[in-house]
């Protein structure tokens, strides 16, 4: 569990994001479904876009990624509408997807609030610049 930011929105969005990353690491389809919206769109670090929760989850749980740990840090949540917020964060995973070694990335997640739960509806990954 990460330290609280003191900002309730950021803390709630980071909890959703962290739960999703941990579910991805465990190939836990139910956990991923619980943290994502049915209209989910995902743009991965290579720029490939996948649309629809079922299609995105199929790719996330196909067994091609072998991940031993994940971390989500440096989050900042911003409300943009009554029940819509954006979370920007740093995501780190140790492992591989296929033959590619995973590297840290900047993530942007647009989330919608359904009842009391935040759910990711649009996820965009940006590679970190190599210095």
């Amino acid at each position: 569990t990460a330290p609280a930011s003191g900002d309730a929105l950021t803390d709630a969005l980071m909890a959703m994001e962290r739960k999703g990353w941990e579910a991805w690491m465990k190939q836990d389809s139910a956990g991923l479904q619980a943290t994502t919206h049915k209209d989910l769109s995902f743009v991965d670090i290579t720029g490939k876009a996948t649309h629809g929760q079922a299609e995105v989850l199929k790719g996330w749980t196909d067994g091609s990624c072998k991940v031993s740990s994940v971390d989500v840090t440096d989050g900042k949540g911003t409300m943009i509408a009554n029940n819509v917020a954006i979370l920007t964060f740093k995501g780190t995973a140790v492992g591989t997807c296929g033959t590619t070694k995973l590297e840290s990335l900047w993530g942007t997640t647009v989330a919608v609030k359904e009842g009391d739960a935040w759910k990711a509806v649009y996820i965009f990954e940006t590679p970190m610049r190599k210095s």
Side-chain angles (χ1 to χ4, degrees), residues 79-114:
M79 287 297 293
I80 58 171
N82 194 22
N83 64 336
V84 182
I86 295 176
L87 174 68
T88 55
F89 63 93
K90 177 182 176 182
T92 304
V94 175
T96 57
C97 284
T99 58
T100 305
K101 183 177 180 283
L102 297 172
E103 297 190 19
S104 295
L105 57 86
W106 295 115
T108 304
T109 298
V110 178
V112 294
K113 195 159 194 185
E114 287 188 346

Side-chain angles (χ1 to χ4, degrees), residues 10-118:
T10 296
D11 291 345
L13 294 170
M14 287 291 283
M16 169 204 69
E17 193 69 40
R18 192 168 288 106
K19 185 176 174 185
W21 278 63
E22 289 168 356
W24 168 69
M25 177 179 71
K26 296 173 190 162
Q27 299 280 295
D28 172 11
S29 195
L32 289 165
Q33 196 164 0
T35 59
T36 58
H37 189 272
K38 65 180 176 56
D39 295 326
L40 177 65
S41 287
F42 172 60
V43 181
D44 73 18
I45 201 160
T46 68
K48 178 183 173 224
T50 307
H51 305 287
Q53 185 185 49
E55 283 301 303
V56 174
L57 268 55
K58 190 165 72 174
W60 283 347
T61 59
D62 67 3
S64 65
C65 294
K66 308 293 185 213
V67 181
S68 60
S69 70
V70 294
D71 196 19
V72 180
T73 59
D74 301 315
K76 177 61 181 149
T78 305
M79 287 297 293
I80 58 171
N82 194 22
N83 64 336
V84 182
I86 295 176
L87 174 68
T88 55
F89 63 93
K90 177 182 176 182
T92 304
V94 175
T96 57
C97 284
T99 58
T100 305
K101 183 177 180 283
L102 297 172
E103 297 190 19
S104 295
L105 57 86
W106 295 115
T108 304
T109 298
V110 178
V112 294
K113 195 159 194 185
E114 287 188 346
D116 291 335
W118 285 101

